[in-house]
Amino acid sequence: MVRRGLANPQSYQRVVLAVGLSVTACVLALAWLGASPFTRLETTLLDWQFRLRGERPVTRDVVIVAIDEKSLREVGRWPWSRDVQAELVSAIVKDQPAVIGLDIIYAEPQPVPSSRETVMNGLGPAPAPDVALARALGRAERSVLALPLLVPDSRTRYTDALVTTTAPASMKKSEFMLIRRAAGSDAFDPYYAAVALPIIPALAETASGIGHAYSLPDIDGVTRREYTALGFEDAYYPSFALELARLHLDIPRERVSLVLGEGIRLGRIFVPTDEKARMLINYAGRERTFPFVSATDVLRQRVAAGSFTGKVVLVGTAALGTYDQAITPFSANVPSVEKNATVVENIIHQHMLHNTLWNGPLELLLVLLFGITLTYGLQRLRAVQGTTLAACALLGYAGVAQYLFAKPGLVLPMGAPVLTIILVFVALTIVNVLARERQAGAIRAMFSSYVSPRIVEELVRSPEKARLGGYRREVTMLFADLAGFTRFSEQRPAEEVVAQLNEYLGAMTEVVFRWNGTLDKFVGDEIVVFWGAPIEQPDHAELAVKCALHMRKRLEELQQRWKAEGKEPLDNGIGINTGTVVVGNIGAEGRKMDYTVVGDQVNVAARFQGLTRKFGCPIVLTEHTAGRLKELMQAEERSDNQGRIGHVSLRRLGTVTVKGSDRPLGAYSVASLAREEASRVDESGPDEPCEMTEK
């Protein structure tokens, strides 16, 4: 039913509208539901935005002290003794950093072989190496430690004796003090941790701040978001990187507010987050984008003085053997400590990516906008124009989104809008292909018996040329009728009559198609042909005259063969007229239809064919066609002979009053001359009109 309706313009438009809007509605529904494929597409396109933007420069005020392969070779396998770590921290603190962050988990005391290495430090007994590390950390002006908060899924059960479900006092000092909800954000909350691995008291009480170290990659394994806040018990706690940024900016904790559903306010700096308090990380590039200093170089005092002065220093593992790498849009081997350094840099220099709650409604609005615009636009445009429209929509939106991403850091929704453009275009292209296939079939079925195969293929390539309704157009018509065929058919067996007639009609049809004529019909032994429709043929009069001359030449060949075979040679008369007629499909729709011409000028052409017997000339033209022929005879000679007729004689036969015509018409005969003879025109025919009342 759909394919049958595609041939009808109105049905085609309804089908296009239905398909385009259906595709748009499906994308809209899936985007609304947050379907997994859409999420994957969105994140993949975000990664491409990073790669298209390329690496960006970073400032030198965030430095990473990396426990890398070089450090492991010189110092030994990880984890190092807390004595060594204390020595490392002391060397960094000596250079007076603005804040130092240890991206290392200190959930249990260092094992010691005997109680002699346990000392009292005001917090109870602790191993001497832990006390040494605590004292080194205490000499720092500001320091932050990483706290493991664990967010289990429904299948996870924690039985380790180290975990706790109650926040210790040392942890409570880092919780958000100011919390409020944005308007309409009642359903939005950060993730909640079930248990914690508390930092050993000897270190926790010494640190200036504590931040959670929870980080979860997306479903494809890429870490794109920082969990800036995590719930535990009845409080919310900042991330390790957020706490480092706060201390570096010297913002008191009471001036930090968590706005659920919007973001985090650090004094005058606002960190935008999503409904789960996650911040999109604006990665600067591949691994080692930030300044890296090997930990062994710090221990061996191979670092220039002032390398850490006034800077944020993060200490963490970077060796591949420590298995603490993250996958980012730029690389699959970025140390987690560098991910934290990126978050710190994003916040303190306000290089955040803005992906707010408005992206959801904006995404749905863009899906509707692109879907409806393309649906209505593509059905009115041709293939190249429609492809250009879709490409402009896709590339234009992608270009705007990429510009906003690279410059102000605004992240527009990409997945659903891009998918809408592609799916609507593909769906409507398929509909258009089916429509053209159906239309081509209708055109072939309608015109294959009327016109030459070349014209049929041209109509298939350009269906708009095949105007299937009625319309007025100037054409040239040719009527060819056999002389004395009634007598001929009465005197011979029917089989012989039909065979010879078919031979004649077949030969004449070949000539008609050779000159790209439209074969209207056979009426017994009469042939009706016209030029100028269904495709426009500005040279219709030229084609008709050349076809008539060719028909006479082909008939002469047939006559010679018929004589040789002992058959009676048939002869014909051809009448030609040029004029404006009505062209179209005429008949009973769905039963019998003919693509034909109607009007007074058709009647004139038919009656002029009858004049061939009166004047004894095989071809008779009206003055309308003869006027065109005179122009063709006067044209300059060309190698392809188009736009010119040579070696013919045009003779005026007189004037004829045709029944139904308002005025007499001039009648002319045309005949071929030998190639050595020049064309000539004879206007000496009688002026007294004769009346032609019968065909």
Side-chain angles (χ1 to χ4, degrees):
M1 290 295 292
V2 172
R3 290 193 63 182
R4 284 200 300 269
L6 289 176
N8 184 289
Q10 293 182 344
S11 299
Y12 167 73
Q13 291 180 1
R14 287 195 294 269
V15 171
V16 167
L17 189 63
V19 170
L21 295 183
S22 297
V23 171
T24 303
C26 289
V27 176
L28 198 64
L30 293 174
W32 176 270
L33 296 173
S36 178
F38 277 78
T39 304
R40 293 292 296 271
L41 177 62
E42 189 74 41
T43 54
T44 299
L45 291 175
L46 179 62
D47 292 347
W48 275 105
Q49 286 186 283
F50 274 110
R51 293 171 191 146
L52 287 173
R53 185 206 66 188
E55 297 189 0
R56 61 175 178 82
V58 296
T59 57
R60 314 300 289 181
D61 52 1
V62 179
V63 181
I64 297 173
V65 175
I67 301 166
D68 54 6
E69 284 82 358
K70 178 181 177 182
S71 300
L72 299 184
R73 285 195 306 269
E74 294 188 6
V75 180
R77 63 180 296 180
W78 181 259
W80 293 339
S81 165
R82 301 273 167 86
D83 287 327
V84 176
Q85 295 181 45
E87 184 182 348
L88 176 65
V89 171
S90 295
I92 296 172
V93 170
K94 184 179 178 181
D95 211 23
Q96 298 182 344
V99 57
I100 181 172
L102 300 184
D103 193 8
I104 302 169
I105 303 302
Y106 297 104
E108 55 182 321
Q110 177 173 316
V112 293
S114 70
S115 61
R116 287 179 301 175
E117 298 185 21
T118 302
V119 298
M120 300 296 293
N121 65 345
L123 300 172
D130 289 348
V131 173
L133 179 59
R135 288 172 179 168
L137 198 63
R139 287 192 290 271
E141 183 178 355
R142 300 182 183 88
S143 59
V144 179
L145 295 177
L147 169 70
L149 287 180
L150 310 178
V151 181
D153 57 29
S154 59
R155 298 168 295 177
T156 306
R157 298 289 183 271
Y158 293 101
T159 58
D160 195 314
L162 292 175
V163 302
T164 179
T165 58
T166 304
S170 59
M171 179 177 167
K172 300 288 286 184
K173 69 180 181 180
S174 292
E175 68 182 40
F176 283 100
M177 300 179 64
L178 299 176
I179 302 171
R180 65 182 180 86
R181 289 187 179 274
S185 64
D186 294 343
F188 301 149
D189 267 322
Y191 285 95
Y192 276 81
V195 295
L197 287 171
I199 301 171
I200 58 175
L203 297 175
E205 293 296 333
T206 306
S208 306
I210 294 174
H212 76 79
Y214 180 75
S215 180
L216 182 68
D218 291 336
I219 192 171
D220 58 356
V222 180
T223 300
R224 300 183 180 89
R225 295 171 175 82
E226 169 77 359
Y227 290 70
T228 57
L230 210 61
F232 184 64
E233 286 193 302
D234 57 351
Y236 296 101
Y237 295 91
S239 69
F240 173 73
L242 179 63
E243 187 70 358
L244 276 171
R246 180 189 71 80
L247 290 173
H248 178 73
L249 294 169
D250 197 21
I251 298 174
R253 195 174 302 280
E254 57 270 16
R255 290 188 59 202
V256 178
S257 61
L258 171 62
V259 185
L260 299 176
E262 284 188 3
I264 296 171
R265 178 73 64 181
L266 291 172
R268 295 182 178 181
I269 297 176
F270 183 74
V271 181
T273 63
D274 63 8
E275 69 276 8
K276 294 297 184 182
R278 297 175 299 184
M279 162 192 158
L280 271 175
I281 303 174
N282 187 4
Y283 287 102
R286 297 180 59 85
E287 61 269 24
R288 294 184 176 270
T289 301
F290 287 85
F292 262 66
V293 178
S294 179
T296 187
D297 289 338
V298 178
L299 289 170
R300 303 292 188 265
Q301 299 182 3
R302 295 195 291 253
V303 180
S307 298
F308 306 128
T309 304
K311 299 178 181 179
V312 179
V313 180
L314 288 88
V315 181
T317 58
L320 293 176
T322 60
Y323 304 105
D324 192 20
Q325 280 76 36
I327 301 175
T328 74
F330 288 105
S331 173
N333 293 307
V334 174
S336 294
V337 65
E338 188 164 10
K339 184 272 292 184
N340 288 324
T342 303
V343 176
V344 173
E345 186 264 354
N346 287 177
I347 295 173
I348 63 179
H349 292 293
Q350 301 183 53
H351 290 160
M352 284 86 69
L353 296 175
H354 300 273
N355 186 354
T356 66
L357 298 176
W358 288 105
N359 274 33
L362 178 61
E363 180 180 52
L364 301 180
L365 180 62
L366 289 170
V367 169
L368 281 174
L369 176 64
F370 286 126
I372 294 174
T373 301
L374 288 177
T375 297
Y376 279 93
L378 292 177
Q379 69 175 330
R380 289 169 168 79
L381 299 175
R382 300 180 65 180
V384 174
Q385 296 169 329
T387 303
T388 303
L389 174 64
C392 287
L394 181 62
L395 298 178
Y397 179 69
V400 170
Q402 183 63 28
Y403 174 80
L404 294 176
F405 174 82
K407 295 298 181 182
L410 181 62
V411 181
L412 294 181
M414 290 286 289
V418 166
L419 197 61
T420 300
I421 296 172
I422 294 173
L423 290 182
V424 170
F425 174 71
V426 170
L428 296 191
T429 298
I430 292 174
V431 171
N432 190 46
V433 168
L434 293 176
R436 286 186 174 274
E437 181 182 316
R438 180 69 181 176
Q439 194 174 46
I443 290 172
R444 283 195 177 95
M446 180 172 297
F447 292 109
S448 59
S449 60
Y450 298 150
V451 297
S452 66
R454 189 182 70 81
I455 292 183
V456 171
E457 292 308 314
E458 186 173 349
L459 292 173
V460 170
R461 287 194 302 269
S462 303
E464 67 278 0
K465 294 181 180 179
R467 295 179 56 189
L468 301 182
Y471 53 96
R472 292 188 179 276
R473 182 175 289 178
E474 184 183 72
V475 301
T476 297
M477 297 145 285
L478 180 151
F479 281 71
D481 192 18
L482 287 175
F485 185 74
T486 301
R487 176 188 56 79
F488 172 85
S489 61
E490 290 175 349
Q491 295 176 355
R492 286 164 178 76
E495 295 80 4
E496 182 182 337
V497 172
V498 171
Q500 193 166 350
L501 178 61
N502 286 343
E503 186 178 6
Y504 162 76
L505 294 176
M508 296 301 103
T509 300
E510 289 180 4
V511 175
V512 169
F513 284 176
R514 160 65 179 81
W515 295 101
N516 296 322
T518 299
L519 183 59
D520 188 335
K521 62 177 71 72
F522 296 124
V523 183
D525 61 306
E526 184 179 54
I527 304 173
V528 182
V529 188
F530 57 87
W531 286 261
I535 65 171
E536 292 187 7
Q537 296 169 299
D539 56 346
H540 51 81
E542 174 187 352
L543 293 172
V545 173
K546 289 181 176 179
C547 179
L549 295 171
H550 193 171
M551 289 172 74
R552 289 297 304 174
K553 181 179 179 182
R554 184 75 177 90
L555 181 58
E556 290 174 2
E557 296 172 356
L558 288 175
Q559 288 172 340
Q560 292 176 5
R561 191 169 74 229
W562 287 334
K563 289 179 181 179
E565 294 173 353
K567 298 178 182 178
E568 182 177 345
L570 300 175
D571 198 6
N572 69 2
I574 300 174
I576 302 177
N577 179 40
T578 300
T580 301
V581 297
V582 175
V583 186
N585 291 294
I586 297 174
E589 187 172 359
R591 295 187 178 182
K592 175 64 175 175
M593 298 286 288
D594 283 325
Y595 186 77
T596 187
V597 290
V598 294
D600 290 341
Q601 297 299 325
V602 180
N603 180 57
V604 170
R607 294 188 179 279
F608 264 63
Q609 185 277 325
L611 289 174
T612 58
R613 293 190 292 272
K614 181 178 181 61
F615 291 113
C617 299
I619 303 175
V620 177
L621 317 177
T622 65
E623 61 184 32
H624 306 306
T625 307
R628 305 288 180 90
L629 181 56
K630 293 175 184 177
E631 297 174 1
L632 296 169
M633 294 168 67
Q634 296 170 0
E636 294 183 3
E637 186 173 357
R638 295 174 50 179
S639 58
D640 58 7
N641 206 34
Q642 291 185 357
R644 180 179 183 275
I645 292 181
H647 314 292
V648 297
S649 67
L650 181 65
R651 181 167 62 89
R652 186 170 181 272
L653 301 174
T655 57
V656 179
T657 302
V658 180
K659 185 177 181 180
S661 178
D662 296 336
R663 65 178 185 83
L665 292 174
Y668 289 78
S669 68
V670 63
S672 296
L673 298 175
R675 293 192 61 83
E676 62 274 9
E677 295 184 78
S679 298
R680 57 178 180 265
V681 178
D682 182 2
E683 296 282 1
S684 61
D687 294 328
E688 185 67 24
C690 63
E691 184 174 357
M692 181 65 181
T693 58
E694 297 181 0
K695 181 179 173 184

